[in-house]
Amino acid sequence: MIRRLSLSTLFLVLAALTLLSLLDGCSPSVDAAWSRVRATGTLCVGMDASFPPFESIGSDGSPQGLDVDLAREISSRLELEPQFVVNLPYDGLYDALTADRVDIVISALVVNPSRTADYAYSRTYFNGGQVLVARQGNRESASLRDLEGHTVAVVLGTAGDRVGRGWERRASDLSVIQYRTPAEALRAVGDGITDLALVDHVSALAEMGEGTFLTIVDNAVTEVPYACAVRADSSTLLKKVNRALLAMEADGTMDQLIVKWLR
């Protein structure tokens, strides 16, 4: 014969079961990628090594570039050794993550919101969007009102071309001149043919060396965020990578890599 439980005992049993359920629901999920890299001591990094100066193959056959140095620095801060898989096509980087061929992708990868169901992105480490370039000392802001009466060089068929044409339609006295390459657009500024150039951030930084007298004006005009990518279930690994990136920004390491490879 089954003994009947008192109301107080039944309450305690139900409360205990509820607590166990809550604790189970709050328990962290297992991050297989982080468990693997900690067990092996290596971080397997996937990249398409055909996009200098971010990643390419050097004359000695080893990978080189900003993303390569970035991967080495992240690995060092996580007390891991980087292992590179560099023969991946850009459109196959996500597939390599899905198939567990790599733990992380660091390859000038542009954040794609449509991919966030299956993959997770780190904090942005570089913006490859369009920026305004002027001769040093000429301009301090880039509002549409400030651009009135000026000429802007753009690269035909680029996002900068589309933005510049939009400005030209809305401004009464703004002239946009199209060039075939970023180098030609930037040269127009340097030679005084135009007041400004609207080009991609990488091309702009490449001209920021000594003797060019060019400077980037204000903030980026368009956003093309580069970030690292992991599988959506690699939450612990992503947290560690983000902490490393944040520390690199704080201590100047990221700026040093950008100066080394992009200027």
Side-chain angles (χ1 to χ4, degrees):
M1 185 176 180
I2 301 175
R3 177 182 295 178
R4 293 184 179 179
L5 297 176
S6 66
L7 288 177
S8 60
T9 303
L10 182 60
F11 176 81
L12 291 174
V13 171
L14 290 175
L17 290 174
T18 301
L19 179 60
L20 287 173
S21 176
L22 289 173
L23 289 174
D24 182 64
C26 294
S27 61
S29 58
V30 175
D31 182 345
W34 179 246
S35 298
R36 180 171 59 249
V37 299
R38 292 304 296 167
T40 62
T42 62
L43 181 67
C44 192
V45 181
M47 60 177 53
D48 172 12
S50 62
F51 186 55
F54 282 87
E55 47 265 326
S56 62
I57 302 299
S59 57
D60 61 354
S62 61
Q64 63 180 18
L66 188 152
D67 282 336
V68 176
D69 283 359
L70 177 63
R72 289 182 174 133
E73 185 66 27
I74 290 173
S75 299
S76 175
R77 293 178 186 234
L78 269 55
E79 299 181 346
L80 301 168
E81 288 293 329
Q83 178 182 336
F84 294 98
V85 178
V86 298
N87 60 342
L88 299 173
Y90 189 80
D91 57 3
L93 293 171
Y94 291 106
D95 293 336
L97 277 175
T98 300
D100 278 337
R101 288 187 61 194
V102 299
D103 304 309
I104 188 170
V105 167
I106 306 178
S107 189
L109 192 67
V110 179
V111 173
N112 184 348
S114 68
R115 295 277 196 171
T116 53
D118 301 309
Y119 308 97
Y121 294 100
S122 71
R123 62 186 292 112
T124 300
Y125 64 87
F126 184 78
N127 179 16
Q130 300 285 309
V131 295
L132 272 172
V133 177
R135 288 184 296 278
Q136 290 182 8
N138 280 13
R139 304 195 60 78
E140 295 181 356
S141 65
S143 69
L144 188 58
R145 183 182 61 185
D146 294 330
L147 295 176
E148 290 276 5
H150 292 82
T151 54
V152 180
V154 299
V155 181
L156 179 65
T158 64
D161 187 10
R162 294 190 292 274
V163 170
R165 290 298 175 186
W167 287 346
E168 192 175 39
R169 287 192 296 270
R170 289 164 21 222
S172 60
D173 188 20
L174 170 66
S175 178
V176 172
I177 303 175
Q178 295 173 317
Y179 291 87
R180 291 177 298 174
T181 66
E184 290 177 354
L186 290 164
R187 192 178 305 121
V189 178
D191 293 343
I193 299 172
T194 65
D195 301 304
L196 299 146
L198 184 56
V199 298
D200 69 276
H201 196 186
V202 174
S203 298
L205 286 174
E207 293 296 325
M208 295 296 104
E210 293 183 11
T212 60
F213 306 108
L214 297 178
T215 185
I216 294 174
V217 178
D218 212 354
N219 297 320
V221 175
T222 64
E223 296 291 327
V224 182
Y226 291 2
C228 312
V230 299
R231 288 167 55 117
D233 56 6
S234 299
S235 57
T236 302
L237 176 59
L238 181 63
K239 185 186 299 182
K240 302 284 186 181
V241 170
N242 276 333
R243 285 178 180 172
L245 290 171
L246 187 61
M248 291 172 67
E249 293 170 13
D251 65 21
T253 302
M254 186 60 68
D255 287 338
Q256 292 172 12
L257 293 182
I258 289 173
V259 169
K260 173 183 177 181
W261 289 103
L262 301 183
R263 290 191 178 183

